Amino acid sequence: MTILQAGMNSEKKPVSKLRIPQHDLLGIDMLDASDITTILDLAEYYVVQNRRRSLTNVLLKGMVIVNLFLENSTRTRLSFDMAAKRLGADVINMTTDGSSILKGESLTDTLKTINAMRPDVVIIRHRGEGSAEDAAKLIDAPVINAGDGTREHPTQALLDALTLRRHFSKLEGLHVAIVGDILHSRVAHSNLHLFKKMGVTQSCIGPRELLPLGVDGTQDLGAGLKNADAVMVLRIQKERLSEKLSFTEEDYFKAYGLTTERLSLAKENAVVLHPGPMNRGVEIDAALADDPTRSLITTQVEMGVAVRMACLDLLTRGARIAC
Ligand code: NCD
């Protein structure tokens, strides 16, 4: 069995734990450990559902979901779209291109306009930290943060957690090393919140200029990888840099690029994760990224659909019961 097939399968919907108290999903910081477990348990059920191509799920039939992506995306946008459609909802995808934002309309006016049309869920990605919170104040329906600047990307951390939990059959007690641009990464920030809540030990590794102040990090790859069960590799977020970096991509690969050889500095059989998009030959070696015995990167993408199905199910529960 390859690691892509490993993990638990859940045929039965875990009916006993089907609620989270939150109206919106804006960050991992607003969830507690039991909310996270509820989402992951329900996502296990949706992994099975998503693999059954013949399935016609009508849970969200009649609902209209607005997928508002004002920053570029492949995986997150597509998987929210797919998750909503797998649950029977209609989806409207909106990006900056082709919208009145290019005519100078503000985010606030864009959100007020969307709200006036009474959508059932709004998913938002925007470069501004706190933009999802602002959206939740203006939108009556549940709002899901699909990435607000460098702040949070909660569904990415949840899909990473589901990937790890399926591979190791637990989260508590694991040690995950994060390598790369932690300073600008909303993925790292959401994961660090999640690790703390779920009893996962973390080590942060990267050049000094990419490690946030206040985070206990190391510039030494070998020291940071020691005893790690999993290594999460992040790209350098060039679009968020305010100053030119003091090193080239070649220097970076020499010092921090993860290869199969370097992965051996972690625990035996340690696995690698990457949220994508990858820059092969910069932060990760292509052979390692494509090695099905060490890389969980494709599994992460699959888990993204299941986690987003679970989040859409849980956040629309109130509205569905009210009908
Ligand atoms: C990440 C993001 O957009 O924050 N990608 C993703 O959602 N899968 C990471 C990144 O862009 O580097």
Side-chain angles (χ1 to χ4, degrees):
M1 185 162 73
T2 71
I3 54 170
L4 297 182
Q5 294 164 313
M8 335 175 220
N9 279 339
S10 177
E11 291 276 339
K12 264 181 67 188
K13 198 162 184 168
V15 275
S16 58
K17 303 192 241 169
L18 279 177
R19 283 198 166 275
I20 53 169
Q22 293 78 3
H23 180 268
D24 308 290
L25 178 54
L26 306 177
I28 297 293
D29 57 356
M30 67 192 285
L31 303 177
D32 63 25
S34 91
D35 301 324
I36 293 168
T37 303
T38 299
I39 297 169
L40 299 185
D41 289 349
L42 186 57
E44 289 288 356
Y45 165 77
Y46 281 122
V47 173
V48 179
Q49 299 286 300
N50 191 40
R51 285 179 184 177
R52 285 204 186 129
R53 297 241 164 74
S54 59
L55 177 95
T56 342
N57 197 320
V58 290
L59 193 75
L60 304 192
K61 195 170 162 44
M63 290 198 162
V64 181
I65 293 179
V66 175
N67 219 7
L68 178 63
F69 272 71
L70 305 178
E71 259 196 351
N72 293 342
S73 173
T74 298
R75 279 148 286 267
T76 308
R77 190 174 113 192
L78 220 63
S79 68
F80 267 117
D81 195 349
M82 182 160 292
K85 285 177 174 147
R86 286 267 192 250
L87 292 173
D90 286 315
V91 183
I92 300 173
N93 278 290
M94 180 175 162
T95 59
T96 311
D97 279 352
S99 80
S100 290
I101 294 170
L102 294 182
K103 296 181 186 169
E105 188 161 43
S106 67
L107 178 63
T108 301
D109 285 338
T110 304
L111 291 167
K112 283 182 179 168
T113 303
I114 291 171
N115 191 50
M117 296 182 194
R118 300 183 165 273
D120 295 290
V121 178
V122 174
I123 297 152
I124 178 169
R125 169 171 285 193
H126 186 270
R127 65 171 188 281
E129 284 82 27
S131 52
E133 253 167 321
D134 295 343
K137 288 184 193 131
L138 295 167
I139 303 270
D140 297 320
V143 170
I144 303 181
N145 181 7
D148 62 328
T150 61
R151 201 186 75 87
E152 277 238 33
H153 188 355
T155 56
Q156 179 69 42
L158 289 163
L159 76 87
D160 292 337
L162 184 63
T163 305
L164 289 167
R165 197 179 78 162
R166 284 169 67 86
H167 184 74
F168 292 103
S169 303
K170 62 170 189 176
L171 283 174
E172 196 174 352
L174 292 180
H175 177 164
V176 180
I178 307 183
V179 189
D181 183 0
I182 294 160
L183 180 64
H184 301 105
S185 172
R186 54 197 175 204
V187 174
H189 298 148
S190 287
N191 267 302
L192 291 173
H193 283 302
L194 188 142
F195 292 161
K196 199 164 174 209
K197 288 169 198 259
M198 302 310 282
V200 175
T201 305
Q202 48 81 14
S203 46
C204 293
I205 311 162
R208 193 189 305 276
E209 61 207 272
L210 298 179
L211 287 174
L213 288 172
V215 162
D216 188 17
T218 172
Q219 296 181 72
D220 180 343
L221 186 70
L225 291 184
K226 198 163 181 268
N227 293 324
D229 296 287
V231 186
M232 188 175 287
V233 182
L234 302 173
R235 77 180 170 98
I236 297 172
Q237 308 256 317
K238 284 189 196 148
E239 69 276 28
R240 300 189 209 283
L241 296 176
S242 51
E243 278 168 39
K244 209 174 163 301
L245 292 169
S246 65
F247 49 83
T248 65
E249 289 189 344
E250 291 72 32
D251 297 336
Y252 185 82
F253 185 70
K254 271 189 212 139
Y256 296 103
L258 199 67
T259 60
T260 306
E261 198 187 342
R262 284 178 164 168
L263 189 59
S264 66
L265 299 168
K267 270 194 192 155
E268 204 188 338
N269 300 326
V271 288
V272 61
L273 290 90
H274 192 309
M278 277 187 278
N279 292 298
R280 291 163 181 259
V282 181
E283 73 270 9
I284 190 163
D285 181 51
L288 174 60
D290 295 333
D291 178 355
T293 66
R294 307 305 292 274
S295 167
L296 294 176
I297 297 169
T298 312
T299 309
Q300 286 175 275
V301 177
E302 184 188 359
M303 294 308 118
V305 178
V307 153
R308 288 166 181 132
M309 286 173 86
C311 292
L312 289 171
D313 176 342
L314 289 164
L315 291 173
T316 53
R317 218 142 260 268
R320 282 185 283 120
I321 286 164
C323 284

